[in-house]
Amino acid sequence: MFRATASNRAQPVRNAFRAPGHVRAGDSGSGPRRIWSALGARIQHRSYVAPANNAVTPIEKILLDNIKATGPISFGRYMQMCLSHPTEGYYMKSSQQVFGEKGDFTTSPEISQVFGELVGVWLLSQWLYAGNSRKLRLVELGPGRGTLMQDILRVLSQFSAACEAIEAVHLVETSPNMRQRQDENLSPLAFQHKWDLQWHTSIEEIPQDPSRFTLLVAHEFFDALPFNLIQKTQQGWQEVMVATADSTNLDSKSLNVDTTLRPKRDSTTSQSGVPSRFRRVLSPHPALSSNLLGLSSSRFKDLPPGSQIEVSPTAFKIARKVGELMHDPESKGERSAGSGLVVDYGAEKAFGNSFRAFKEHKIVDVFHRPGECDLTVNVDFAYLSEALAGLATPLGPVTQGTFLTRMGLAARVEALKKSAQSEERAAEIEKAAKRLVDSTGMGSQYQVMGIVGTRKDESEVRVEERWPFVKDA
């Protein structure tokens, strides 16, 4: 629902993370807290806007032509084309400013280095307590500019054992433009420590390998995956599709949709009065695919007719693969093959009307300037947990504010402030950190879910592995 609107990222402090000594798996105290002791912003609410520029974008023309030729498309197809078209997709164009003040949104890692450092501390603790001294490989889904991974690697590099254990860093990224930025940010550190940087277009390209301990992070990744919008009717589950706005003149037989659908938020006219070229329509009958999506979770069974839910089979499939990377079948449930973190906005429930677009740090109509806006949908964390069944154990989720606070944000911020070269700089560091945990913004809207490999006896998942995803901490 919210994205940060400006960057105030604290700069790295040389040797600020150098550990005074090796931390052993048998040391007392909770894992991350023990590591942290060794290591020694308000978000703005945005109003809906729709700029007056109504020229047809390249993606818009492609979509309009496809719909006119073959009929309405799914929201998943619409989202995929807008974000990932090979040449005109939002994330694929080198000219597109995505992050920062000149872009359309700013993420937590861009606001403060503390975010990435605390994520790194959690990942390190997982290896110390469950890795059994295995070699390490790191995986990030949708790495953006590489800022988060850079902070994580900086933390791990301060521990000689972890630094030497890292063999490869796997980055799942489809955008050539983003890959170039990631290479620029990560190659110097990787070259220095002789780590192998590998890029993949899909998580499917990363093989399951329990002989190595996998540390995975997915920050604002699942919210950008295509989804299907389905509506429960007396007949079953029918899909809500995207049609051209001028299709209102067609009858249901020629259009092959129910033209009587009245959308809750989108209409043929945007908030500024500029006509939209797209509209929502309801498929005339339940299809096998929509019924399968409606049956994909037992939570959907008792929803009343008229309910709409956003379901992402792509998210389910990827979460399932994440579970496989965490699972060690050879150990028969004796040990985990890895640990991961998913950070995104959403909740442990399905949503029906969370799909939204961002342009220049403001929410705009989802049909505004296709291919030039960021598109996002809330993550159903319960759905991700269901995908992990039998392979990995979900921890949480907890709010981002809870995660960062329990992981030692206050102590790290104080250390950075003491190292700051001026009072003004110290104030900037504190302000940036506060934005991350603000209970009226990022601190509550973003959820953090941990993932560890399933054991035959869940009691064998130690409290150190579960931290900070514990009750009444």
Side-chain angles (χ1 to χ4, degrees):
M1 183 175 298
F2 300 97
R3 284 192 189 272
T5 58
S7 176
N8 191 20
R9 181 174 167 77
Q11 298 302 311
V13 177
R14 185 181 301 275
N15 294 328
F17 249 104
R18 188 167 302 281
H22 177 65
V23 179
R24 299 185 304 275
D27 287 348
S28 61
S30 63
R33 280 181 171 175
R34 176 66 180 172
I35 294 172
W36 191 246
S37 64
L39 291 171
R42 282 192 181 275
I43 193 166
Q44 300 176 9
H45 292 269
R46 297 177 185 81
S47 58
Y48 277 83
V49 297
N53 183 1
N54 203 35
V56 177
T57 68
I59 285 293
E60 194 169 14
K61 185 179 186 306
I62 294 172
L63 291 170
L64 289 170
D65 289 344
N66 285 349
I67 293 172
K68 289 177 180 178
T70 62
I73 60 174
S74 69
F75 270 88
R77 177 63 173 165
Y78 175 82
M79 190 174 184
Q80 183 180 40
M81 289 287 287
C82 289
L83 297 181
S84 304
H85 183 276
T87 58
E88 300 296 336
Y90 178 77
Y91 288 115
M92 309 301 280
K93 294 179 291 188
S94 59
S95 61
Q96 181 68 53
Q97 290 285 344
V98 175
F99 303 103
E101 294 182 2
K102 295 182 180 179
D104 296 315
F105 62 89
T106 302
T107 61
S108 295
E110 304 287 344
I111 291 173
S112 172
Q113 71 184 69
V114 177
F115 179 87
E117 290 172 347
L118 293 178
V119 169
V121 169
W122 187 86
L123 294 172
L124 174 61
S125 73
Q126 293 295 303
W127 178 69
L128 290 175
Y129 287 98
N132 304 109
S133 302
R134 279 169 284 177
K135 290 294 185 179
L136 270 173
R137 62 176 180 177
L138 283 87
V139 177
E140 184 172 6
L141 310 182
R145 292 192 289 202
T147 305
L148 175 57
M149 182 57 72
Q150 187 178 43
D151 290 337
I152 291 171
L153 291 174
R154 192 174 68 252
V155 171
L156 297 181
S157 68
Q158 302 307 310
F159 289 83
S160 58
C163 186
E164 293 172 3
I166 297 173
E167 291 186 335
V169 179
H170 300 265
L171 305 170
V172 178
E173 179 62 69
T174 59
S175 168
N177 175 42
M178 290 298 180
R179 286 190 179 192
Q180 180 178 350
R181 297 185 184 188
Q182 294 154 17
D183 189 30
E184 293 170 355
N185 284 330
L186 300 176
S187 285
L189 194 59
F191 179 79
Q192 176 185 351
H193 296 288
K194 299 180 180 180
W195 299 331
D196 184 20
L197 276 179
Q198 298 182 26
W199 278 267
H200 310 273
T201 58
S202 168
I203 190 175
E204 298 291 338
E205 298 175 6
I206 302 176
Q208 186 176 11
D209 185 2
S211 68
R212 292 168 175 78
F213 198 73
T214 300
L215 296 176
L216 180 144
V217 63
H219 178 266
E220 291 204 47
F221 171 79
F222 283 95
D223 71 290
L225 296 179
F227 72 99
N228 294 80
L229 182 61
I230 57 176
Q231 179 171 316
K232 192 172 187 179
T233 69
Q234 297 295 345
Q235 303 177 68
W237 287 99
Q238 296 169 238
E239 185 158 9
V240 180
M241 313 286 282
V242 178
T244 57
D246 58 15
S247 64
T248 54
N249 297 323
L250 301 178
D251 59 35
S252 60
K253 183 177 181 180
S254 59
L255 182 60
N256 196 32
V257 295
D258 179 0
T259 59
T260 63
L261 179 67
R262 293 294 180 263
K264 296 178 179 179
R265 187 168 70 193
D266 301 315
S267 65
T268 54
T269 301
S270 65
Q271 289 82 0
S272 68
V274 177
S276 171
R277 296 186 177 90
F278 302 97
R279 66 188 295 264
R280 299 185 181 201
V281 293
L282 185 66
S283 58
H285 304 290
L288 177 60
S289 59
S290 56
N291 271 329
L292 287 175
L293 289 175
L295 295 171
S296 63
S297 172
S298 60
R299 295 174 297 126
F300 306 156
K301 178 181 177 181
D302 296 325
L303 291 174
S307 300
Q308 286 188 2
I309 52 175
E310 297 156 334
V311 185
S312 176
T314 303
F316 190 95
K317 181 180 179 181
I318 292 176
R320 189 70 183 168
K321 177 61 178 181
V322 170
E324 291 177 2
L325 295 179
M326 307 292 106
H327 183 58
D328 185 353
E330 298 177 359
S331 73
K332 298 180 180 180
E334 294 291 337
R335 67 177 188 174
S336 170
S339 302
L341 280 180
V342 175
V343 186
D344 235 313
Y345 29 58
E348 288 185 282
K349 65 177 184 179
F351 295 84
N353 198 31
S354 72
F355 185 41
R356 56 209 181 276
F358 284 85
K359 182 67 175 175
E360 298 174 355
H361 299 277
K362 296 181 177 66
I363 294 180
V364 298
D365 188 275
V366 295
F367 297 138
H368 173 70
R369 309 293 300 162
E372 296 180 4
C373 302
D374 179 42
L375 298 177
T376 179
V377 64
N378 281 2
V379 176
D380 180 353
F381 279 89
Y383 202 54
L384 300 187
S385 296
E386 290 165 358
L388 298 172
L391 297 172
T393 300
L395 306 176
V398 298
T399 65
Q400 177 172 293
T402 296
F403 176 85
L404 295 177
T405 299
R406 291 179 178 178
M407 287 299 299
L409 178 136
R412 179 57 179 154
V413 170
E414 286 303 312
L416 286 174
K417 287 169 61 179
K418 290 180 181 179
S419 301
Q421 297 181 352
S422 67
E423 292 185 2
E424 183 181 48
R425 182 58 189 150
E428 291 175 354
I429 292 172
E430 183 172 12
K431 181 180 179 181
K434 284 183 176 179
R435 290 183 63 194
L436 297 178
V437 296
D438 182 5
S439 61
T440 65
M442 301 181 78
S444 62
Q445 294 300 325
Y446 284 88
Q447 302 289 312
V448 184
M449 183 174 77
I451 303 172
V452 298
T454 292
R455 320 294 164 81
K456 64 179 180 181
D457 184 354
E458 287 303 309
S459 64
E460 295 181 8
V461 181
R462 301 167 56 178
V463 66
E464 291 87 358
E465 291 178 70
R466 295 182 182 275
W467 184 265
F469 305 98
V470 294
K471 295 181 179 179
D472 302 321

